[in-house]
Amino acid sequence: MDKKLVTLRLERICVERPGRDGRKADILSDISFSAHCGEVTAIVGPSGGGKSSLLRLINRLSDPACGTVYLDGEDIALLDPLLLRRRVAMVPQKPFMFEGTVLTNLQRPFLYRHEPLPGAESAELLHSLELARLDQELIGRDSRTLSLGEQQRVSLARALITKPGVLLLDEPTSALDRPTGDQLAATIHDICRSQRLAIIIVTHDLRLAGRIADYLLFLEAGRIVEEGLPESILSRPQSPELRRFLSDPVKGEL
Amino acid sequence: MENQKIINLDLINLAYAYGLILLAIALARLQRIGQEGEMLWASVRMVIQLFAVGYLLHLVFAVRSPLAVIAILLVMSGFSLQVMGSRIKRKMPDFYRVMGTSLFIGCGGVTFLLCGLVIGYSPWYDPRYLIPLAGMIIGNSMNGASLAAERLSAEIYERREEIETALCLGATARQASETAVRLAFRAALMPTMNTMAAMGIVSLPGMMTGQILSGTEPIVAVRYQIAIMCAITGAVAITSFLILLQGYQRYFNNAHQLKDEN
């Protein structure tokens, strides 16, 4: 494997949560995998399997109990979290719109860094709108009046505007209807290829994962049960867990 | 002016007044509210507590020692901390340390200014001035402080999504909690602002009426009232500001992560 391609590497990650009786319960245990730039890595599994907790470790919204995350070879625990979050962007499951227009929402990252705010006509703003396939007309709209699909795209554009190297997506399509979700999935796929981003996507939607993932990890009860290329994994599941998950479309689609 | 001409109330006079409470209890009984016992108990407590505090103050006034006055003020502050602790359900981490230091600095500083610079009596510990003035400042700051702390934790709890979205976009803990802090500060100042706006028209403030009753010229009493209102506003603002300044950080760690349980 070409070493230069490795952007992100998780090694023997575990996450604990204090249990009811004072003992610690594992949310995640012994998770190791790599994600490469220009590829979509999908983490699939039933709800409550620890997928979101895993994603939060990568931009240090929280820290693991053990294990290490490397970004381009550097242990992220040793990086300034604010600088790390510039390189590793995250789109949360529910798009949160700050009060104000789409424009002010897109300017947020610059505001936080005390950098000059890009105007509505600036190149970086237009570029991020284009990447997220957002209509330029929307820029002056009150962000809270947008449809959920549009908000999800604003959230995506806002994460991309500062040109991160890694993009984390938490159930990006779960709140959307199927056509809107499919369109967003296509957008994500294109962004990954054109921007050479390493994208990690967490989902319980097998259809989505099958469509856009270059590599797929199946996570259940905090462990990686199966991993590999989506074609082979989804057509020839080895483990009873994945077979059960595949045969239960309600769980897969929610 | 014949100033000290206040009529003393003897126990017979007080008994007439207490008759009004008995009347209230009788009315409650008539309406079958079923809280006559509690009303009676509350009124008895009121009488006992006030007499106790009256004798205590009498003693402190007689001793005129700075230590006694400071002890009284410390007990008042400690009691206000305890009241806040029992009233606020969702406490921030290090609740008592944050609240205690903020109250101490906010109330202490403003009381010092008011007594030393504005009124300028001597000796500085004269209980006739220091105890009621500090008492009013502490009491009002306590209300502001509990509003600030309570609102901050509620806002941070409810704005979790917003705060984490901001963190994802590169915000510092301070930037991410800005809205929560701003709303908490506004909530803390609101009652004081309302009191100021309504003062003199809707209500005659207690301190002013008290001074007038005891023979002070209304013009002088008004000036005292203005001074104490300014002091209260300042103390509430400083105390809440310090609570919020220390408080928001308690919800985050050094890595600008919002802590799990709050």
Side-chain angles (χ1 to χ4, degrees):
Chain A
M1 193 183 299
D2 185 355
K3 259 201 155 178
K4 270 192 171 167
L5 277 178
V6 180
T7 353
L8 198 69
R9 166 100 199 126
L10 279 75
E11 255 169 41
R12 306 192 66 100
I13 293 288
C14 57
V15 171
E16 293 170 337
R17 173 168 46 197
R20 252 172 251 153
D21 46 2
R23 269 179 298 165
K24 295 204 165 150
D26 283 352
I27 304 176
L28 294 170
S29 44
D30 201 20
I31 307 275
S32 301
F33 70 92
S34 298
H36 310 272
C37 58
E39 285 186 14
V40 175
T41 306
I43 299 164
V44 182
S47 307
K51 305 189 299 292
S52 296
S53 308
L54 181 57
L55 215 55
R56 293 165 56 85
L57 303 175
I58 304 174
N59 72 344
R60 292 198 64 200
L61 276 185
S62 49
D63 288 327
C66 63
T68 315
V69 181
Y70 296 98
L71 178 64
D72 290 326
E74 287 176 290
D75 179 352
I76 65 164
L78 306 176
L79 299 175
D80 175 354
L82 297 180
L83 296 178
L84 171 73
R85 288 174 198 151
R86 294 184 187 190
R87 295 163 65 189
V88 181
M90 174 153 142
V91 177
Q93 180 166 8
K94 263 172 77 187
F96 182 86
M97 293 292 111
F98 294 96
E99 222 176 291
T101 59
V102 172
L103 176 65
T104 59
N105 266 276
L106 295 176
Q107 289 170 333
R108 280 269 165 173
F110 300 92
L111 188 77
Y112 293 143
R113 297 177 194 183
H114 306 289
E115 283 173 16
L117 303 182
E121 299 296 327
S122 66
E124 54 222 303
L125 212 111
L126 293 176
H127 182 62
S128 72
L129 287 179
E130 194 190 317
L131 284 179
R133 307 243 173 86
L134 257 176
D135 194 343
Q136 211 189 317
E137 306 286 300
L138 291 180
I139 197 123
R141 279 267 298 278
D142 178 352
S143 60
R144 294 188 171 170
T145 64
L146 300 177
S147 74
L148 206 54
E150 288 166 333
Q151 291 192 5
Q152 193 63 274
R153 284 175 188 275
V154 172
S155 186
L156 186 62
R158 194 173 54 188
L160 290 170
I161 198 164
T162 49
K163 302 192 172 63
V166 179
L167 180 64
L168 312 172
L169 298 164
D170 192 357
E171 304 273 10
T173 60
S174 68
L176 308 178
D177 58 49
R178 186 176 270 202
T180 321
D182 285 351
Q183 284 166 15
L184 188 69
T187 308
I188 292 167
H189 188 258
D190 293 350
I191 291 169
C192 181
R193 293 291 189 271
S194 69
Q195 305 302 302
R196 304 284 300 151
L197 278 174
I199 293 187
I200 299 180
I201 187 164
V202 148
T203 182
H204 58 252
D205 182 352
L206 280 166
R207 231 178 115 259
L208 169 71
R211 275 174 59 115
I212 65 170
D214 297 292
Y215 196 76
L216 195 149
L217 299 132
F218 177 68
L219 198 75
E220 196 182 286
R223 288 177 179 279
I224 296 177
V225 179
E226 252 182 86
E227 60 181 300
L229 301 176
E231 312 84 87
S232 59
I233 280 207
L234 296 178
S235 55
R236 290 183 301 278
Q238 303 295 312
S239 61
E241 290 92 341
L242 181 53
R243 253 177 264 147
R244 205 182 322 124
F245 188 69
L246 287 171
S247 67
D248 191 347
V250 182
K251 251 184 171 172
E253 282 288 327
L254 197 75
Chain B
M1 285 300 296
E2 23 183 2
N3 248 355
Q4 307 304 329
K5 216 183 80 179
I6 183 124
I7 304 160
N8 189 23
L9 295 182
D10 54 31
L11 290 178
I12 307 286
N13 300 129
L14 276 187
Y16 289 140
Y18 198 78
L20 288 171
I21 285 184
L22 296 178
L23 177 72
I25 292 172
L27 284 176
R29 178 146 215 150
L30 204 66
Q31 292 291 318
R32 294 178 212 285
I33 297 176
Q35 291 191 315
E36 302 92 312
E38 282 165 53
M39 283 175 76
L40 188 67
W41 172 232
S43 69
V44 170
R45 269 189 70 162
M46 180 262 296
V47 170
I48 295 173
Q49 285 170 5
L50 285 180
F51 267 118
V53 111
Y55 280 112
L56 187 65
L57 288 180
H58 183 77
L59 207 70
V60 173
F61 277 47
V63 174
R64 291 186 69 88
S65 128
L67 280 179
V69 176
I70 285 176
I72 292 255
L73 294 184
L74 284 180
V75 169
M76 275 165 133
S77 316
F79 190 69
S80 75
L81 263 184
Q82 192 257 324
V83 167
M84 284 192 290
S86 63
R87 218 165 44 180
I88 296 178
K89 291 284 167 299
R90 206 190 285 135
K91 293 189 193 64
M92 67 174 77
D94 299 330
F95 179 82
Y96 288 102
R97 195 191 312 166
V98 172
M99 301 301 263
T101 51
S102 306
L103 266 181
F104 185 78
I105 298 172
C107 297
V110 167
T111 306
F112 176 77
L113 272 180
L114 179 70
C115 295
L117 261 129
V118 179
I119 304 180
Y121 59 85
S122 73
W124 62 269
Y125 56 85
D126 186 349
R128 188 161 77 98
Y129 286 96
L130 189 52
I131 290 177
L133 293 175
M136 277 186 284
I137 289 171
I138 293 171
N140 282 281
S141 300
M142 177 188 80
N143 286 334
S146 40
L147 283 171
E150 203 159 30
R151 187 65 182 266
L152 181 69
S153 75
E155 290 293 340
I156 287 189
Y157 181 77
E158 272 158 33
R159 290 175 185 273
R160 203 179 171 91
E161 261 177 50
E162 172 180 347
I163 290 169
E164 292 210 318
T165 301
L167 292 176
C168 285
L169 295 173
T172 59
R174 190 183 60 76
Q175 290 169 327
S177 52
E178 212 174 350
T179 313
V181 168
R182 195 178 57 227
L183 291 174
F185 194 53
R186 187 195 291 171
L189 282 174
M190 190 78 81
T192 314
M193 296 295 125
N194 290 342
T195 312
M196 276 206 285
M199 187 147 286
I201 301 170
V202 183
S203 67
L204 284 181
M207 184 185 80
M208 197 174 99
T209 33
Q211 282 188 302
I212 292 173
L213 269 176
S214 60
T216 309
E217 278 285 332
I219 296 297
V220 177
V222 161
R223 289 186 180 172
Y224 267 87
Q225 187 60 43
I226 292 172
I228 189 73
M229 262 333 282
C230 297
I232 285 172
T233 309
V236 169
I238 295 171
T239 307
S240 317
F241 180 82
L242 291 175
I243 287 170
L244 296 172
L245 189 71
Q246 300 181 75
Y248 87 84
Q249 301 174 32
R250 296 297 195 277
Y251 294 93
F252 296 86
N253 63 19
N254 286 339
H256 300 275
Q257 296 171 349
L258 186 56
K259 289 182 193 165
D260 267 341
E261 294 308 324
N262 44 64

